[in-house]
Amino acid sequence: MNEQIVSAAHDRVVAMDAVRDVVEQLISLTGMQGDAVHVMRHVLMAVVAILLAWLADVVCRRLVLPAVMKFTAHTSAKWDDIVFNRDVLVAACHIVPAVVVWLLLPLVFYQKPIVEDLLSRATAVYITVMTVRLLLAFVNASKKLDMGDGQRTSTPQYFHSFCGVLRIVVVFVGTVVAVGIVINRSPLSLL
């Protein structure tokens, strides 16, 4: 098992070195030399990562979100219109670009582990906050599931109370996870 992990890490470094070499060769073709090539490589790869994250955001908001909204509108079930409403889908769309950046950070800053670690933690905190926002939007949307008949019986009241408790639990767990990421400790040890 350890040999497989070491082999995967080695393959990752080889792939990153290959990408670095190709980018540096392309930059050298413009006439740059010396340390400027390394700086420009970091800048160029960071710009590519940002552009890919932006593209992921555009695809998610302009293609996926309308497609899911249109699909749920044409189904006979009403629960999917409520659970997959616009607020839930927009909250999910906020996570996608951050995941793209988080996945590309090792490629951009693999020779600068301190910068990679700081940016990776910041991105992980952002993903955690946006995941909490997504879960809260989902809980808020699900509160409307039982409101079809307009009557106030004990079951809808229990369900609303449960949703309120669930919101508190989601925020608490999200806060613990975010603090754990910031201080580089396991969230379970913080509990």
Side-chain angles (χ1 to χ4, degrees):
M1 181 72 170
N2 287 339
E3 292 175 12
Q4 291 174 342
I5 294 172
V6 170
S7 176
H10 175 69
D11 292 345
R12 178 179 166 208
V13 170
V14 169
M16 288 181 193
D17 282 337
V19 169
R20 182 197 68 189
D21 291 341
V22 168
V23 171
E24 285 182 357
Q25 288 173 1
L26 291 173
I27 293 171
S28 295
L29 290 175
T30 65
M32 283 189 191
Q33 294 183 4
D35 289 337
V37 173
H38 301 298
V39 171
M40 184 55 93
R41 177 192 42 154
H42 281 295
V43 169
L44 185 63
M45 292 177 78
V47 167
V48 167
I50 291 168
L51 285 175
L52 287 174
W54 174 78
L55 182 64
D57 182 56
V58 168
V59 166
C60 193
R61 287 178 188 256
R62 304 269 167 113
L63 298 175
V64 175
L65 188 135
V68 172
M69 295 285 292
K70 188 178 287 188
F71 177 75
T72 58
H74 291 303
T75 60
S76 61
K78 293 299 177 198
W79 66 268
D80 61 350
D81 296 334
I82 295 170
V83 174
F84 295 111
N85 68 18
R86 185 166 189 79
D87 293 338
V88 172
L89 295 175
V90 167
C93 286
H94 284 296
I95 297 171
V96 174
V99 170
V100 170
V101 168
W102 188 65
L103 291 174
L104 293 176
L105 278 175
L107 182 65
V108 177
F109 295 107
Y110 82 101
Q111 290 180 320
K112 309 277 188 214
I114 295 172
V115 174
E116 179 188 345
D117 184 50
L118 289 174
L119 291 176
S120 181
R121 284 189 202 188
T123 306
V125 168
Y126 177 81
I127 291 170
T128 303
V129 169
M130 289 299 112
T131 302
V132 167
R133 182 176 172 208
L134 170 65
L135 292 173
L136 292 177
F138 184 76
V139 169
N140 285 340
S142 65
K143 285 182 3 180
K144 299 175 186 173
L145 284 175
D146 65 325
M147 301 306 282
D149 58 0
Q151 296 178 358
R152 294 297 285 177
T153 62
S154 61
T155 303
Q157 291 173 351
Y158 290 138
F159 186 71
H160 283 281
S161 298
F162 174 74
C163 288
V165 171
L166 191 58
R167 287 177 52 87
I168 293 169
V169 169
V170 165
V171 170
F172 176 73
V173 170
T175 303
V176 169
V177 169
V179 169
I181 291 169
V182 168
I183 65 173
N184 200 23
R185 293 197 47 202
S186 169
L188 294 176
S189 69
L190 294 177
L191 290 175

